[in-house]
Each structure stands twice: as C-alpha cells, then as structure tokens.
Amino acid sequence: AKAAGKNQVVVFTPALRTEHADRSRLLTELRHALPGEELVVHYQPVVDLRTRRVLSVEALVRWDGPRGRVMPDQFIPLAEETGLIVPLGEHVLRRATADARPWWDAHGVAVHVNVSARQVRRPEFVDVVRDALASTGLPGAALVLEITETALLATGKVESAVVTAHLAALRGLGVRVAIDDFGTGYSSLAYLQRLPVDIVKIDGAFTRFAARPGDESRRRRALATAIVELCATLDLVAVAEQIELETEARAVQSLGCPLGQGYLFGRPVPAAEIAPLLGRPADA
Ligand code: C2E
Ligand code: CA
Ligand code: CA
Ligand code: CA
C-alpha cells in the first residue's frame, strides 16, 4: 500500500501499475510531439446569439500521436504537471496567431487561446505573447487569452499578483482576457470585479440546464442569470459555453447572455474548414 495524502491510502493494484506505465509512455510520446509537428490546432466559432454571426474562434489543440488522435483532456493535465504545457502552449499561441491573421484582416474575427496559469506566471510570458503578435502582424485586439478561474484564484498571493500584473500588461497591448469555465470553481461573484478580465465564459453546466424543467435547473438558471446581470453591470461580455440545442440557445439568450459557443453553431474544425464559416451566420 502506498500513502496518498494524510488520510487516504491507495492500494497499488495491477490496474494502477498499468495506469502508471500508460502515463510514462504517454509522457515520452508527448515529449516527442514537441516542438509541435504532431500538434494540430482546431477552431470553434463563438457567435452573437442574436445575429448568429461568428465574432471569434477558440483554438483547441489535438495531438495526432503515434497511436492516433488524442484529445486535450487526456494530455493537457499531464502537460501541466510536467511543465510541457509551456512549449506546448507557446506552439499553440504561434500557430493560432498565424492562422488568425487573414480571419482578422478579412472579417475582424478574433482568436481565443487557452493558457495555463503556469505559462502566465513565467517572467517571459508577456514577451512571448508580444513576440507572437509582432511576428504574425496580428494586433493585440485580435487576441483573447482564456484562463480558468481556478488558475486565477487558486495560486498563492504572490503568484496571483504576478498573473494579474502580466495580464494587465497584455491588456495594455489591447489583448483581452477571458475567464474560462466560470461557475465551476471558487466562483465568488465578487471576484469578477477585481480580476483583470474582459470576457466571462459561463460553463456548460449552466447552459445544459438552461432549458430543462426541475428544481436543479431552476437554481442553475438563477445563478446563470445573476452572472449574466453582473457581467452587464461590470461591462464584461458573457459567453454561454457548450450550447448543443436550439432550445438552449434561446434559453440563455432570454437570460440576457449576448454570446454563445457550442456544437449547435459549429464543432472545432481545422483552420481550412473554419475560414468558409466566417462572415456569415454560423447556422445558415
Ligand atoms: P475548454 O477551454 O473549456 O474548451 C471547451 C471544450 O468544450 C472543448 O473540448 C470543446 O470541444 C468542447 N465543446 C464545445 N462545444 C461543445 C458542446 O456543444 N458540447 C460539448 N459536450 N462539448 C463542447 P476539447 O477541445 O476536448 O478541450 C478540452 C479542454 O482542454 C479545454 O476546455 C481546455 O481546458 C483544454 N485545452 C484545449 N486546448 C488547449 C490549449 O491549447 N492549451 C491549454 N492550456 N488547454 C487547452
Ligand atoms: Ca477555453
Ligand atoms: Ca470552457
Ligand atoms: Ca473546460
């Protein structure tokens, strides 16, 4: 048996050993995937719920490794733990800013890039972003950095001061900051006022309940309404995530949420496939 934390004991079963072997193999393969030949960046539209026009796209990484396609939930946590998220994130940032240049020039469509707290904390972070913008010719206004609320709030005092300072410096370049998966983490609504953010992405857990009957749905709808109203008061733009159904789109829109994202409007697709969707309503 192996001690895990103070109060629990994990029995080291064959299943766990296999998991461990899988993990180290995945890690070795991921090291090989960098600096990036096997990493593919897909893009998913973010739309104006009223006009259904694509306002921006979110960059989502996939890994086409030696054993096929791997989705981010299966390697991003490992990359975060091991620090590989730094070169990985930099690769996605460079790819996404390069891909987005023609979309911005032709349609004013911005690109969202997910960044981990570990990247944002680094002293080089502001320069890395500035450099990606300079080398692709993309203006700061065309870039949105997405960071989870857990990442923004869970770090220590000194670290969160560094994160805040770096985000503030980037906002000085016109870059916008989105708080991701809002509502799932610490979610004190009062934090919204203090954080250096422009956009709030409301987690799919709220969207999915928006159009359903029942008490649980009613509670989530009430919280979603409070978030949307607070965003409006604080001049933050709210985006409802993971909208799959027309009824969900209408429900979150009726709460006053201006923007949405989800399979209803478009799945994440390669750069070549996103271009034709720009400049016209996503569900046309
Ligand atoms: P996220 O940032 O919250 O991204 C949204 C996820 O929801 C994406 O999963 C997207 O494909 C999925 N999604 C979008 N619309 C719908 C919908 O209507 N229904 C459902 N069920 N799902 C929907 P994906 O691409 O598998 O990415 C998972 C997570 O991996 C992301 O969650 C993000 O946290 C992380 N991730 C992805 N790319 C990167 C990256 O380049 N850097 C970092 N640090 N994290 C990334
Ligand atoms: Ca995101
Ligand atoms: Ca999200
Ligand atoms: Ca998420």
Side-chain angles (χ1 to χ4, degrees), residues 180-181 203 241-242:
D180 207 350
D181 300 347
D203 196 77
E241 292 192 297
Q242 300 193 10

Side-chain angles (χ1 to χ4, degrees), residues 21-35:
D22 280 354
R23 223 183 97 96
S24 22
R25 184 163 68 157
L26 199 65
L27 186 56
T28 308
E29 289 171 358
L30 189 55
R31 287 216 167 88
H32 274 278
L34 293 162

Side-chain angles (χ1 to χ4, degrees), residues 34 79 134 146 184 219 231 246 265 269 281:
L34 293 162
E146 296 198 359
T184 57
R219 272 194 296 276
C231 285
E246 189 57 48
F265 312 113
V269 292

Side-chain angles (χ1 to χ4, degrees), residues 197-215:
V197 299
D198 307 280
I199 297 166
V200 173
K201 298 190 78 175
I202 305 171
D203 196 77
F206 297 97
T207 307
R208 273 194 298 279
F209 278 85
R212 290 188 198 168
D215 280 352

Side-chain angles (χ1 to χ4, degrees), residues 218-231:
R218 190 156 348 108
R219 272 194 296 276
R220 294 206 191 200
R221 219 164 21 242
L223 196 49
T225 307
I227 297 171
V228 167
E229 281 172 2
L230 193 61
C231 285

Side-chain angles (χ1 to χ4, degrees), residues 10 16 56 64 83 90 113 131 210 213 234 241:
V10 171
L16 269 181
S56 56
D64 286 340
E90 201 169 319
V113 175
D131 196 70
L234 298 175
E241 292 192 297

Side-chain angles (χ1 to χ4, degrees), residues 136-218:
T136 53
L138 195 74
L143 179 65
V144 177
L145 297 174
E146 296 198 359
I147 182 164
T148 61
E149 62 174 336
T150 332
L152 266 177
L153 299 173
T155 45
K157 256 212 175 95
V158 176
E159 284 153 338
S160 70
V162 169
V163 167
T164 302
H166 288 177
L167 294 178
L170 289 169
R171 288 172 92 209
L173 303 176
V175 172
R176 282 166 295 163
V177 176
I179 188 163
D180 207 350
D181 300 347
F182 193 81
T184 57
Y186 287 72
S187 270
S188 166
L189 292 183
Y191 276 121
L192 271 188
Q193 198 184 340
R194 273 200 3 217
L195 297 173
V197 299
D198 307 280
I199 297 166
V200 173
K201 298 190 78 175
I202 305 171
D203 196 77
F206 297 97
T207 307
R208 273 194 298 279
F209 278 85
R212 290 188 198 168
D215 280 352
E216 171 66 8
S217 299
R218 190 156 348 108

